[in-house]
């Protein structure tokens, strides 16, 4: 019997796979190789085995940065995901005005990363910034340079302003695709608003929220631009995340240690992503 199926369509993926191998796999293998060497120049690399890994994992600063990165991701996700879903549900009631509002919410997504910190620092400037003047008029002292809590608040606000639109777009796409008969049936049965969200809307946007959670975790876990531009990891290393330590190794030309640190960061992200996918797969299987 002839096989009715053809695998020739896989040939269409070859350009993408080749490009992925060139821009991702080859650099990853190179970094993995460099992590076992003490590198002075490209031509002077000396094999040292696992010494960089042992040095990094034995350093309390690494575990402190890991904890701060994980805490930042947890805070940002716990704010952006519920807020984005709530805004999406609110926009669903706006009818024809939902699209213009959605465009405004998504506008920060097109702002370059290197401009976010500067915009927020200008905004909270007590002499020229609108928010800074308002805070000063209310008698509130906001010192992000020397107060760790204020630095964290500013970084979280900047990141939320920048990426909240992504959550709103995906959540709105999910809830707007729900057929009206579902909600009509729920209204006839006298279901509460919370019940409609729990049993009708939330299951329909779970897939989109899973993508949001994974993408935002990877991005927030390795945040660099905002944290460095706002306070360069200060005050007293309170906002020194994993990415800032990696950048410090690169700037000090310690490329072997930087490669080992990059591989450790990659393995952490990969492990969390794998665990997330496994948990979601098990949940769908049930």
């Amino acid at each position: 019997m002839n096989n009715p199926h053809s695998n020739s369509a896989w040939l269409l993926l070859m350009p993408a796979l080749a490009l992925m191998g060139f821009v991702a796999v080859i650099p990853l293998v190179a970094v993995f190789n460099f992590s076992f060497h003490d590198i002075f120049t490209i031509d002077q690399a000396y094999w040292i085995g696992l010494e960089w890994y042992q040095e990094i994992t034995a350093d309390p600063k690494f575990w402190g940065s890991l904890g701060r990165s994980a805490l930042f991701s947890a805070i940002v996700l716990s704010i952006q995901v519920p807020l984005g879903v709530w805004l999406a549900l609110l926009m669903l009631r706006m009818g024809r005005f939902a699209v213009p509002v959605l465009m405004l919410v998504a506008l920060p997504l097109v702002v370059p990363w290197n401009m976010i910190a500067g915009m927020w620092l200008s905004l909270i400037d007590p002499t020229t910034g609108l928010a800074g003047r308002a805070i000063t008029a209310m008698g509130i002292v906001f010192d992000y340079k020397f107060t760790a809590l204020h630095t964290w608040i500013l970084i979280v606000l900047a990141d939320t302003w920048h990426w909240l639109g992504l959550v709103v777009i995906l959540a709105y796409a999910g809830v707007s695709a729900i057929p009206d008969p579902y909600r009509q049936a729920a209204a006839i049965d006298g279901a509460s608003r919370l019940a409609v969200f729990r049993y009708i809307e939330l299951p329909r946007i779970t897939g989109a929220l899973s993508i949001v959670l994974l993408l935002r975790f990877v991005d927030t876990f390795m945040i660099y631009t905002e944290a460095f531009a706002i306070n360069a990891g200060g005050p007293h290393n309170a906002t020194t995340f994993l990415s800032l330590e990696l950048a410090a190794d690169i700037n000090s030309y310690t490329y072997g240690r930087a490669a080992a640190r990059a591989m450790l960061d990659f393995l952490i992200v990969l492990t969390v992503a794998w665990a997330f996918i496994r948990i979601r797969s098990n949940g769908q299987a049930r």
Side-chain angles (χ1 to χ4, degrees):
M1 180 181 293
N2 294 329
N3 186 3
H5 301 286
S6 175
N7 294 324
S8 59
W10 285 97
L11 295 175
L12 299 175
L13 292 177
M14 293 304 296
L17 293 176
L19 181 61
M20 183 64 69
F22 181 75
V23 302
V25 177
I26 294 177
L28 180 63
V29 173
V31 171
F32 182 68
N33 176 59
F34 291 155
S35 67
F36 298 107
H37 293 80
D38 191 3
I39 302 173
F40 295 94
T41 64
I42 296 298
D43 299 327
Q44 291 180 307
Y46 301 94
W47 177 270
I48 61 173
L50 297 174
E51 288 186 19
W52 287 130
Y53 291 96
Q54 294 171 349
E55 178 181 316
I56 294 171
T57 55
D59 189 357
K61 293 182 179 179
F62 168 75
W63 298 104
S65 299
L66 175 59
R68 285 187 289 271
S69 296
L71 178 61
F72 180 78
S73 295
I75 292 174
V76 168
L77 290 176
S78 64
I79 293 175
Q80 293 182 10
V81 174
L83 181 59
V85 173
W86 177 75
L87 289 175
L89 294 175
L90 189 63
M91 291 168 56
L92 192 63
R93 304 178 182 178
M94 296 182 180
R96 61 180 181 178
F97 298 104
V99 175
V101 174
L102 186 63
M103 294 175 61
L104 290 176
V105 173
L107 191 60
L109 291 174
V110 302
V111 179
W113 289 5
N114 56 352
M115 292 181 58
I116 301 300
M119 291 174 57
W120 277 85
L121 290 177
S122 300
L123 183 65
I124 65 169
D125 188 279
T127 57
T128 60
L130 181 62
R133 290 181 177 180
I135 293 173
T136 303
M138 291 186 291
I140 300 174
V141 178
F142 189 81
D143 186 8
Y144 71 92
K145 293 183 179 179
F146 300 103
T147 305
L149 178 60
H150 295 174
T151 309
W152 273 78
I153 291 174
L154 182 57
I155 297 175
V156 170
L157 284 175
D159 188 84
T160 300
W161 177 83
H162 192 193
W163 290 107
L164 181 63
L166 177 65
V167 184
V168 176
I169 291 173
L170 293 178
Y172 179 78
V175 295
S176 61
I178 300 176
D180 291 334
Y182 284 89
R183 295 190 179 90
Q184 294 172 357
I188 293 173
D189 292 338
S192 64
R193 185 66 188 86
L194 181 60
V196 171
F197 173 73
R198 179 179 178 183
Y199 295 107
I200 297 178
E201 295 171 337
L202 184 59
R204 292 279 180 159
I205 63 174
T206 301
L209 292 182
S210 299
I211 297 175
V212 168
L213 286 171
L214 192 56
L215 291 177
R216 294 301 298 128
F217 165 76
V218 173
D219 185 50
T220 57
F221 191 74
M222 295 306 298
I223 186 174
Y224 173 77
T225 305
E226 294 89 341
F228 180 80
I230 288 176
N231 212 358
H236 306 295
N237 294 324
T239 55
T240 300
F241 303 117
L242 290 174
S243 58
L244 271 71
E245 288 197 339
L246 175 59
D249 283 343
I250 296 174
N251 292 332
S252 63
Y253 303 101
T254 315
Y255 296 126
R257 184 169 61 188
R261 193 182 297 277
M263 289 307 303
L264 287 172
D265 296 346
F266 172 74
L267 290 175
I268 293 171
V269 172
L270 187 65
T271 301
V272 174
W274 175 83
F276 177 82
I277 294 173
R278 290 288 298 176
I279 293 173
R280 173 154 174 77
S281 299
N282 293 336
Q284 288 179 338
R286 295 176 186 176

